[in-house]
Amino acid sequence: SKEGGFGGGPNQQPHLATTYAAVNALSIIQMSESLLTIDREKLVNFFKSIRNHDGSYRMHVGGEIDVRGAYCALSVARLTGILSIHPELFAGTADWIAKCQSYEGGFAGQPQLEAHGGYAYCGLAGLAILEKADKINLNLLLKWICERQMSIEGGFQGRTHKLVDSCYSFWQAGSIPIIRRILEANDDSSLVNSVPLIDTMSLQKYLIYCCQKIPPHRPGLSVPNIIPSSVNEFADWTRLSGGGMVDKPGKNPDIYHTCYALSGLSASQHMPQVPQQICESCLNGHSSLMDGHPCPSKLQQILGSEKFDNSLNDTHCWHNIVHEAVAFTITFFKCLDQLKFSELEATKLAVEAATKIKDKSKHFV
């Protein structure tokens, strides 16, 4: 938009949520042409227009203030290089986010409100980007997140005493890799590396068995790993398969829940591995997270088969896009900001960075 941020569509008011989505989408493409559509100078002006004196952010001019705004602004600023050039835009932001942690351990949209899964992820990821996670109680947050996984459904609730919702498979479970990296950076990863924190297989079962939109007569719940040979065959295939992910059984599919259900599925598949612990219950085949005898070796399993392959790419835990897209975008803008690289040279270096990250999946940018 002319104000600098991105709107939900042409000629719509710029909004931090749609700006976050747009920058992520342009980053996923991994092309200089897509990134150059971002007017970073105007984007800085947009940030200034919605920033509050205490470091919090409104979602749009005259809009609501909550922790989503701070996270969306930080994520965009990090990817585009604005964070390193204009750190003053986030003066006080870490302190404001920290005030949003509730007595339960999760984060609320604003200080003194109820903890919520979406806000918990936004608050934690925002502090991780700022390298200020020491301002909060990580152990209490981790406890609150783990307690949000329901033992019967296997999915996560967003708030205490609420129903399970597929999108919280990311907002809750997606926070665990962030906590792990923070603890590793502080040489204090014994907790997350020694015991399984959530039941990843139960989460995958909930998402795959319960949250896909499929007709009741169709055998199998995953989409077959086949490519339709014609347009008509593709139309028949999509009609029969239904498609999309739902909040919970009985609901209609939508793009939002499809995105975050799949994001949660990816997070559960790539959950950090912990050393195998063998106990008598494991040897007798009675191990499960629900009976108090967890078997960490099961955390790396992916629900599916060769015919129904459910494996997904790993995503960057701060931005929720693949690691190579993060590497490409950050490298491209960093090279441009150094003023000694042309756009062509910056693109080549960005491609090299993305390729290197893809070849070394454990590396983190």
Side-chain angles (χ1 to χ4, degrees):
S1 70
K2 62 181 180 180
E3 292 88 356
F6 287 81
N11 301 315
Q12 292 186 17
Q13 182 181 19
H15 191 285
L16 267 177
T18 48
T19 298
Y20 165 78
V23 171
N24 269 8
L26 293 170
S27 298
I28 291 171
I29 298 172
Q30 296 182 55
M31 293 179 63
S32 59
E33 292 86 350
S34 64
L35 296 181
L36 289 172
T37 63
I38 303 172
D39 189 328
R40 293 190 293 164
E41 184 176 348
K42 286 186 176 180
L43 191 54
V44 169
N45 292 332
F46 174 60
F47 284 162
K48 290 179 179 178
S49 71
I50 53 178
R51 182 183 181 275
N52 300 303
H53 69 278
D54 59 0
S56 63
Y57 275 79
R58 295 183 181 274
M59 294 303 292
H60 58 86
V61 174
E64 69 275 23
I65 302 170
D66 60 52
V67 77
R68 290 177 305 157
Y71 165 68
C72 289
L74 280 164
S75 178
V76 169
R78 182 175 187 264
L79 287 173
T80 58
I82 290 174
L83 179 59
S84 58
I85 298 175
H86 296 282
E88 72 280 0
L89 288 173
F90 300 98
T93 301
D95 289 329
W96 184 84
I97 292 176
K99 292 177 182 178
C100 294
Q101 186 173 29
S102 78
Y103 72 94
E104 290 184 282
F107 283 77
Q110 296 179 358
Q112 306 302 317
L113 297 181
E114 182 183 13
H116 182 284
Y119 295 134
Y121 172 85
C122 290
L124 176 63
L127 290 173
I129 291 172
L130 289 169
E131 299 182 358
K132 297 290 185 180
D134 58 328
K135 292 181 175 291
I136 61 171
N137 188 330
L138 274 180
N139 288 335
L140 191 60
L141 172 60
L142 185 59
K143 177 178 181 292
W144 180 81
I145 290 172
C146 293
E147 289 176 346
R148 300 283 71 76
Q149 185 176 26
M150 298 292 96
S151 59
I152 296 177
E153 300 94 330
F156 280 82
Q157 60 182 187
R159 293 177 286 164
T160 305
H161 302 308
K162 295 295 183 178
L163 297 176
V164 165
D165 183 328
S166 65
C167 70
Y168 294 114
S169 61
F170 174 74
W171 296 126
Q172 302 285 29
S175 294
I176 293 178
I178 302 179
I179 295 176
R180 179 175 183 267
R181 291 193 179 278
I182 293 170
L183 294 177
E184 284 181 339
N186 296 329
D187 295 323
D188 185 24
S189 58
S190 57
L191 173 62
V192 292
N193 283 336
S194 60
V195 295
L197 300 174
I198 64 170
D199 188 341
T200 57
M201 286 304 292
S202 290
L203 177 57
Q204 291 181 49
K205 288 177 181 178
Y206 174 70
L207 293 171
I208 293 174
Y209 293 160
C210 303
C211 295
Q212 291 193 82
K213 183 65 175 179
I214 58 171
H217 63 272
R218 180 173 176 267
L221 293 171
S222 299
V223 177
N225 189 20
I226 59 174
I227 300 176
S229 59
S230 67
V231 174
N232 290 335
E233 184 179 332
F234 180 79
D236 291 339
W237 177 72
T238 53
R239 176 177 57 81
L240 291 174
S241 64
M245 307 288 280
V246 301
D247 162 356
K248 56 180 65 67
K251 299 290 186 177
N252 291 321
D254 59 73
I255 293 296
Y256 172 84
H257 285 93
T258 299
C259 172
Y260 287 107
L262 291 174
S263 298
L265 184 60
S266 171
S268 68
Q269 292 176 353
H270 297 277
M271 196 63 65
Q273 189 172 10
V274 296
Q276 183 174 2
Q277 297 175 349
I278 300 178
C279 65
E280 183 177 352
S281 181
C282 295
L283 294 174
N284 292 333
H286 300 302
S287 173
S288 76
L289 286 175
M290 303 311 168
D291 63 17
H293 294 282
C295 182
S297 64
K298 296 182 179 180
L299 284 178
Q300 290 298 302
Q301 291 182 349
I302 296 177
L303 185 65
S305 64
E306 291 185 3
K307 183 178 181 181
F308 300 108
D309 182 13
N310 298 310
S311 60
L312 300 175
N313 289 332
D314 190 18
T315 59
H316 194 292
C317 56
W318 295 353
H319 302 287
N320 196 30
I321 57 177
V322 292
H323 293 271
E324 51 266 34
V326 175
F328 184 96
T329 303
I330 290 178
T331 302
F332 179 76
F333 284 122
K334 185 176 182 179
C335 289
L336 290 185
D337 291 335
Q338 290 179 0
L339 301 178
K340 62 181 180 180
F341 296 104
S342 65
E343 290 180 6
L344 180 59
E345 291 171 329
T347 301
K348 289 182 178 179
L349 291 171
V351 170
E352 291 176 4
T355 302
K356 183 178 180 181
I357 289 295
K358 190 173 184 178
D359 293 340
K360 297 180 179 180
S361 59
K362 293 184 179 180
H363 197 67
F364 191 73
V365 178

